[in-house]
C-alpha cells in the first residue's frame, strides 16, 4: 500500500508509515495554523477570543495549587503515589534524596512534551463539570467512562481502580516502617486480586479496596495536611489540581483522563494541603516510558499554573477548547537551542512578574489578534519604560493627582499597617530598624565632622524618626525608608562651607532652605507636575549617581593630600636611631627657659626624663612649652608649683 507525504507525493511506507504520517500531521497542523501562509487569526485564537471574551457574572477563577504525584516504589516496597513536584506560580521539586523542597523556579519544558500533551488531550477522556463526593466514586466514574468509550478493556477495570486508589505519600510525611506481617498481607491481597478469576465481583472489589495499602478514602483532611505550614502561602479560596502519572505492566495503551468537577471536593489525602480538588489529570501507560510520562505531567501542571490556560480550563466547554488553550500556550513558548544551554540550570523567578492582562486583552478585546509577540508596538515617546499608567496621567485640575492618589490608596491604607502585625513580618521589621539606625549613626557622625557638630548623630536620629513617621502616615508609602544619603552629606558640607565663607548663620540658612523646598513641593503637587516623571530615563539617575561618586572620590584624595601636608614623611628616618634617642634635662643655651629647666630637674629629680618622654616634651626650650610640661608633671605627681610659675 502507498501513502502520500506532506507535499502530496506518493510514498511506499505501508500501514506503519501511514500511521506515523498522520500523527506527524496532527502535531504539526496547529503550527501551520499560525504560519505566514495562512490567515492572521487562527481557529484556535478565534475560539480563545470567544471563551475569554464571553461576559460572565460569576467570580474570577480562584488560585490553583497543582501537585504532581508519580507511581513509584517507596522504600523498596510496593508501588505508591509519591509527590515529586508542586506549583503555585512557579515549580518546586523534591530534591534528590527526598528530604527537602527546592527553591521556586521557572519551569522549563521540552517542546516534545507539549506536543505529547496535546495528543493526550485529543485521544484521552475529557470529562467536564462532573459531580463526585469522594475519590473512589470519582475513580469509578473515570474507569466506567473509559470502558464505555472503548478506551479500556473491561477486564482491566479492577487493576486500574486498584492502582489509582493506592496510598499517596507527600513530602511532609516521613517514611513509615511497617511490620513484615503488614507487608505480607498487602502483597497477598494484591496477588489475589490479579490472579483470582472472581476478582470482578463487587464483593471482591470492595474487599480489595479496603486493603491497608490503599488510599484513605475519607473525605476529611488528615492531621499532617492540617499541620502543613505551606497552607499559609495559599489564599483561602484556593483549589487544587492533581496530576497522577505512572507506568504499569498490565496496560498496552495509555490510560488518559482529564476531569473538571462541578464543585471542588475534598478528596482525603490526595493533596498535600487541605484544599478541595477541582481538576484531575491521570496518565497511566506501559512500562519503559516513565521519563516521558513525567515530562507530560510537568507540562500539564505548568499549564494549569499559567494564568491564561488557567482561565480557559475553568471556562472550557469541550475538548477543543482545551486544545485551543494548549495551542495558545505553544504560540507564546520560546525555544532554546540544544547544546547552548544546560537544562539542569534552574531559572530564578523574576523580581517583577510580567502581567498576563496583555495576553488576555489580546483575545477579549477583539482587535489585531496576533501570535508569538507579534502585537504591534505602540508609537512610544521615549518614556523611559514607565508605561502609560494611570498615576502618571495629568488631570488638569487643581490637586487632581493628589485627590486621585487618596481615592486609590484609601481602601488599603489601614491594611498597610495591620498586615505587619504578623510574626512573619518580625524579621523584616528588625532588619529595617537596624538598617535605619546604623545609617543614621554613620551619616550623623559624618555630618558632625562636616558641620563642626552643628548637625550630628542626635540630630540625624531625630530627623529620621520625625520625617519617617510623617511620611509613612501621610504619603501612602509605609515601606519607603527615609534616611540620610551620600548626596545629602555632600550638600550639607557644601552649604556649611558656603555659609562659613559668607558669614551666614548655617542653621538659620538651612531652615530657610527647608521651608522653600516644602513650598516648591506643594506647588508641584497642586499642578500635577509629577507626570513629567514619565519622561525621565535611567540616564538622569545615573548622571546624579556619577556626580556623587566623583565628589566622594575627590574628597578621599583631598584628605590624603592634606594628611601628607600636616604630617610630612621624614625621608631621613632610620630604624637604628630609635635606641639613640633620649630625653634629659641638659642646660640649654642662655635664654629664658634655663631657670624653669633647672627647677624642673630639681623638683622631679630623675623622674624628669621619664615624664618628658610621656608628655612628648622636654625640659628645655621655649617658656610656653616648659610651662606646659611642668604643669603636667605637677598634676602627675601631685606637686605644687611656686606662684612664680
Amino acid at each position: 500500500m502507498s501513502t502520500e507525504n506532506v507535499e502530496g507525493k506518493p510514498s511506499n511506507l505501508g500501514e506503519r508509515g501511514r500511521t506515523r504520517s498522520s500523527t506527524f500531521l496532527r502535531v504539526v497542523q496547529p503550527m501551520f495554523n499560525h504560519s505566514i501562509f495562512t490567515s492572521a487569526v487562527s481557529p484556535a485564537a478565534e475560539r480563545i477570543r470567544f471563551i475569554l471574551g464571553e461576559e460572565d457574572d460569576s467570580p474570577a477563577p480562584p488560585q490553583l495549587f497543582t501537585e504532581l504525584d508519580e507511581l513509584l516504589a517507596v522504600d523498596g516496597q510496593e508501588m505508591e503515589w509519591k509527590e515529586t513536584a508542586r506549583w503555585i506560580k512557579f515549580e518546586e521539586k523534591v530534591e534528590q534524596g527526598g528530604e527537602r523542597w527546592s527553591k521556586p523556579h521557572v519551569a522549563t519544558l521540552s517542546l516534545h512534551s507539549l506536543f505529547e500533551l496535546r495528543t493526550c488531550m485529543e485521544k484521552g477522556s475529557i470529562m467536564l463539570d462532573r459531580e463526585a463526593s469522594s475519590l473512589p466514586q470519582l475513580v469509578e466514574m473515570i474507569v466506567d467512562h473509559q470502558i464505555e468509550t472503548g478506551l479500556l478493556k473491561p477486564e482491566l477495570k479492577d487493576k486500574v481502580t486498584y492502582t489509582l486508589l493506592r496510598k499517596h505519600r507527600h513530602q511532609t510525611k516521613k517514611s513509615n516502617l511497617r511490620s513484615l506481617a503488614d507487608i505480607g498481607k498487602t502483597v497477598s491481597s494484591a496477588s489475589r486480586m490479579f490472579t483470582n478469576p472472581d476478582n470482578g465481583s463487587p464483593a471482591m472489589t470492595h474487599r480489595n479496596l479496603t486493603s491497608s495499602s490503599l488510599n484513605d478514602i475519607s473525605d476529611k483532611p488528615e492531621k499532617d495536611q492540617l499541620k502543613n505550614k505551606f497552607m499559609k502561602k495559599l489564599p483561602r479560596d484556593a483549589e487544587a489540581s492533581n496530576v497522577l502519572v505512572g507506568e504499569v505492566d498490565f496496560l498496552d495503551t495509555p490510560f488518559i483522563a482529564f476531569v473538571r468537577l462541578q464543585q471542588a471536593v475534598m478528596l482525603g489525602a490526595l493533596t498535600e494541603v487541605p484544599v478541595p480538588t477541582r481538576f484531575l489529570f491521570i496518565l497511566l501507560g506501559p512500562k519503559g516510558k516513565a521519563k516521558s510520562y513525567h515530562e507530560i505531567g510537568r507540562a500539564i501542571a505548568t499549564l494549569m499554573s499559567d494564568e491564561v490556560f488557567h482561565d480557559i480550563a475553568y471556562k472550557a466547554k469541550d475538548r477543543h477548547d482545551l486544545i485551543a488553550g494548549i495551542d495558545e500556550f505553544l504560540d507564546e513558548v520560546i525555544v532554546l537551542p540544544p547544546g547552548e544551554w544546560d537544562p539542569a540550570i534552574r531559572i530564578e523567578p523574576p523580581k517583577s512578574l510580567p502581567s498576563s492582562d496583555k495576553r488576555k486583552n489580546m483575545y477579549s478585546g477583539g482587535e489585531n489578534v496576533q501570535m508569538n509577540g507579534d502585537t504591534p508596538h505602540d508609537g512610544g515617546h521615549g518614556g523611559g519604560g514607565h508605561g502609560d499608567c494611570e498615576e502618571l496621567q495629568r488631570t488638569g485640575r487643581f490637586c487632581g493627582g493628589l485627590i486621585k492618589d487618596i481615592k486609590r490608596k484609601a481602601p488599603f491604607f489601614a491594611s498597610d499597617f495591620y498586615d505587619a502585625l504578623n510574626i512573619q513580618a518580625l524579621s523584616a521589621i528588625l532588619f529595617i530598624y537596624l538598617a535605619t539606625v546604623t545609617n543614621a549613626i554613620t551619616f550623623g557622625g559624618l555630618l558632625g565632622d562636616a558641620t563642626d557638630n552643628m548637625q550630628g548623630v542626635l540630630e540625624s536620629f531625630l530627623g529620621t524618626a520625625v520625617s519617617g513617621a510623617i511620611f509613612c502616615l501621610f504619603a501612602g508609602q509605609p515601606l519607603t525608608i527615609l534616611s540620610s544619603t551620600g548626596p545629602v552629606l555632600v550638600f550639607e558640607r557644601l552649604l556649611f562651607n558656603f555659609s562659613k565663607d559668607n558669614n551666614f548663620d548655617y542653621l538659620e540658612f538651612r531652615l530657610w532652605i527647608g521651608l522653600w523646598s516644602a513650598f516648591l513641593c506643594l506647588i508641584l503637587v497642586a499642578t500635577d507636575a509629577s507626570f513629567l516623571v514619565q519622561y525621565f530615563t535611567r540616564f538622569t539617575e545615573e548622571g546624579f549617581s556619577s556626580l556623587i561618586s566623583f565628589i566622594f572620590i575627590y574628597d578621599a584624595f583631598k584628605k590624603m593630600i592634606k594628611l601628607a601636608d600636616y604630617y610630612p614623611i621624614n625621608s631621613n628616618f632610620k630604624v637604628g636611631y630609635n635606641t639613640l634617642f633620649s630625653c634629659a634635662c641638659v642646660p640649654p643655651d642662655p635664654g629664658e627657659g634655663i631657670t624653669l629647666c633647672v627647677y624642673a630637674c630639681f623638683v622631679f629629680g630623675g623622674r624628669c626624663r621619664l615624664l618628658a618622654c610621656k608628655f612628648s616634651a622636654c625640659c628645655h626650650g621655649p617658656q610656653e612649652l616648659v610651662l606646659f610640661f611642668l604643669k603636667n608633671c605637677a598634676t602627675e605627681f601631685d606637686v605644687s608649683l611656686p606662684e612664680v610659675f
Side-chain angles (χ1 to χ4, degrees):
M1 298 180 66
S2 64
T3 60
E4 292 184 352
N5 57 20
V6 178
E7 298 179 355
K9 298 179 181 180
S11 174
N12 297 324
L13 300 177
E15 186 66 27
R16 183 179 179 184
R18 185 189 302 110
T19 303
R20 296 180 63 181
S21 178
S22 60
T23 304
F24 174 77
L25 289 175
R26 282 197 306 271
V27 173
V28 178
Q29 186 64 34
M31 300 174 63
F32 287 163
N33 289 337
H34 309 315
S35 69
I36 60 176
F37 301 104
T38 59
S39 61
V41 181
S42 66
E46 289 286 356
R47 184 179 292 271
I48 294 174
R49 177 191 296 180
F50 177 76
I51 296 172
L52 298 181
E54 192 176 26
E55 295 184 0
D56 193 357
D57 297 333
S58 59
Q63 178 75 42
L64 270 181
F65 168 75
T66 305
E67 177 180 324
L68 173 61
D69 291 1
E70 298 186 54
L71 192 62
L72 302 172
V74 180
D75 299 334
Q77 300 169 3
E78 73 276 4
M79 305 294 285
E80 293 182 353
W81 293 105
K82 178 71 169 61
E83 182 183 11
T84 58
R86 64 187 182 189
W87 285 257
I88 295 181
K89 180 63 180 178
F90 300 100
E91 180 182 13
E92 297 180 44
K93 293 181 179 180
V94 178
E95 297 286 9
Q96 293 183 357
E99 296 179 356
R100 62 186 181 90
W101 286 101
S102 68
K103 291 182 179 181
H105 55 274
V106 179
T108 53
L109 307 174
S110 65
L111 192 62
H112 182 72
S113 65
L114 292 171
F115 287 148
E116 290 284 355
L117 175 62
R118 191 181 189 280
T119 305
C120 290
M121 288 296 189
E122 288 180 342
K123 294 185 176 181
S125 297
I126 305 297
M127 306 169 64
L128 303 177
D129 296 332
R130 298 303 178 98
E131 295 184 358
S133 58
S134 62
L135 183 59
Q137 181 183 358
L138 179 59
V139 170
E140 183 178 1
M141 182 191 308
I142 296 172
V143 175
D144 290 342
H145 183 271
Q146 288 265 336
I147 295 175
E148 292 174 1
T149 55
L151 299 176
L152 181 67
K153 298 178 181 179
E155 57 269 19
L156 298 178
K157 175 181 179 179
D158 292 333
K159 293 184 179 181
V160 173
T161 303
Y162 178 82
T163 302
L164 294 178
L165 293 179
R166 303 290 292 179
K167 183 178 296 184
H168 288 258
R169 188 180 299 277
H170 302 292
Q171 176 60 20
T172 56
K173 295 182 179 180
K174 295 183 179 180
S175 178
N176 298 322
L177 298 178
R178 292 174 291 176
S179 63
L180 293 176
D182 293 336
I183 298 176
K185 187 185 301 183
T186 301
V187 175
S188 61
S189 175
S191 60
R192 286 197 306 271
M193 176 180 177
F194 292 151
T195 56
N196 196 330
D198 298 331
N199 59 4
S201 62
M204 187 63 190
T205 302
H206 176 73
R207 187 163 60 251
N208 286 328
L209 293 182
T210 58
S211 172
S212 61
S213 65
L214 299 183
N215 184 36
D216 182 10
I217 61 175
S218 174
D219 57 349
K220 297 181 180 180
E222 294 184 348
K223 293 182 179 179
D224 292 335
Q225 292 175 282
L226 297 175
K227 295 180 181 179
N228 194 342
K229 297 180 180 179
F230 189 75
M231 187 65 186
K232 297 180 180 179
K233 299 183 180 180
L234 299 174
R236 295 182 178 179
D237 60 343
E239 296 178 350
S241 172
N242 295 93
V243 179
L244 308 179
V245 297
E247 56 179 4
V248 292
D249 55 2
F250 55 83
L251 287 178
D252 297 329
T253 58
F255 178 93
I256 306 166
F258 179 87
V259 184
R260 183 184 68 196
L261 297 178
Q262 180 70 31
Q263 298 293 334
V265 179
M266 187 70 67
L267 299 179
L270 180 64
T271 311
E272 174 190 352
V273 290
V275 174
T277 297
R278 187 64 176 266
F279 296 93
L280 179 63
F281 179 82
I282 301 174
L283 172 58
L284 294 177
K287 288 279 188 178
K289 298 182 178 181
K291 185 177 180 180
S292 298
Y293 303 150
H294 171 75
E295 292 299 325
I296 294 173
R298 290 184 62 245
I300 184 61
T302 305
L303 277 169
M304 297 304 294
S305 64
D306 179 71
E307 294 188 17
V308 176
F309 187 85
H310 166 269
D311 293 351
I312 295 174
Y314 270 95
K315 298 180 180 180
K317 293 181 173 57
D318 53 24
R319 182 194 310 270
H320 302 289
D321 291 346
L322 295 173
I323 295 176
I326 298 177
D327 291 342
E328 188 278 335
F329 187 84
L330 285 169
D331 289 329
E332 299 296 328
V333 164
I334 298 176
V335 180
L336 297 175
E340 300 181 8
W341 172 74
D342 185 5
I345 297 176
R346 294 173 180 173
I347 303 175
E348 294 290 334
K351 295 182 179 180
S352 58
L353 294 177
S355 176
S356 63
D357 294 339
K358 185 177 181 180
R359 290 172 58 194
K360 294 180 181 179
N361 295 335
M362 185 171 60
Y363 297 104
S364 59
E367 295 182 359
N368 298 330
V369 179
Q370 298 186 13
M371 295 295 180
N372 203 13
D374 291 335
T375 303
H377 296 283
D378 298 332
H381 302 286
H386 294 281
D388 189 16
C389 56
E390 182 183 1
E391 293 83 356
L392 297 180
Q393 293 179 357
R394 190 184 182 198
T395 60
R397 300 189 304 271
F398 180 76
C399 293
L402 177 62
I403 296 173
K404 290 179 64 177
D405 284 343
I406 294 175
K407 291 181 179 179
R408 187 165 45 245
K409 191 64 182 178
F412 312 101
F413 183 81
S415 64
D416 286 341
F417 295 93
Y418 65 70
D419 284 348
L421 302 177
N422 192 305
I423 191 64
Q424 293 182 339
L426 180 61
S427 60
I429 293 174
L430 292 177
F431 172 77
I432 294 175
Y433 171 75
L434 294 176
T436 307
V437 168
T438 54
N439 197 31
I441 294 174
T442 303
F443 282 96
L446 294 176
L447 276 175
D449 296 337
T451 61
D452 287 345
N453 289 325
M454 288 189 176
Q455 287 194 67
V457 177
L458 294 180
E459 289 80 4
S460 180
F461 262 80
L462 183 62
T464 302
V466 174
S467 61
I470 295 176
F471 186 87
C472 291
L473 288 174
F474 298 104
Q477 300 175 358
L479 293 182
T480 302
I481 303 173
L482 297 184
S483 183
S484 298
T485 57
V488 174
L489 177 61
V490 174
F491 172 75
E492 296 292 349
R493 188 180 68 248
L494 295 177
L495 183 64
F496 177 78
N497 294 332
F498 179 80
S499 302
K500 188 176 180 180
D501 295 339
N502 294 275
N503 296 322
F504 292 157
D505 188 297
Y506 166 71
L507 293 180
E508 183 180 353
F509 192 22
R510 187 67 181 83
L511 173 62
W512 279 108
I513 291 176
L515 293 176
W516 274 104
S517 299
F519 176 71
L520 293 176
C521 286
L522 291 177
I523 294 178
L524 294 177
V525 171
T527 57
D528 282 354
S530 60
F531 82 97
L532 296 174
V533 175
Q534 61 183 323
Y535 300 107
F536 294 170
T537 63
R538 288 195 62 183
F539 175 79
T540 308
E541 178 185 357
E542 292 174 355
F544 279 103
S545 300
S546 301
L547 174 62
I548 300 303
S549 300
F550 282 123
I551 290 176
F552 275 104
I553 294 173
Y554 167 76
D555 287 342
F557 281 103
K558 183 179 179 181
K559 288 184 178 181
M560 291 177 62
I561 295 173
K562 284 186 176 181
L563 287 175
D565 292 337
Y566 292 154
Y567 305 101
I569 300 175
N570 185 6
S571 58
N572 298 322
F573 174 79
K574 295 183 179 180
V575 179
Y577 287 171
N578 290 335
T579 58
L580 302 178
F581 291 155
S582 64
C583 182
C585 293
V586 179
D589 295 334
E592 56 186 9
I594 298 178
T595 306
L596 298 176
C597 179
V598 172
Y599 178 81
C601 293
F602 174 77
V603 172
F604 303 110
R607 292 172 293 184
C608 179
R609 180 181 303 176
L610 178 62
L611 288 175
C613 295
K614 181 175 182 181
F615 292 105
S616 301
C618 193
C619 297
H620 57 85
Q623 183 175 359
E624 293 80 6
L625 181 60
V626 176
L627 280 174
F628 171 78
F629 171 67
L630 290 177
K631 291 179 180 179
N632 282 286
C633 289
T635 304
E636 181 74 16
F637 294 100
D638 195 17
V639 176
S640 299
L641 293 176
E643 295 182 0
V644 69
F645 297 109

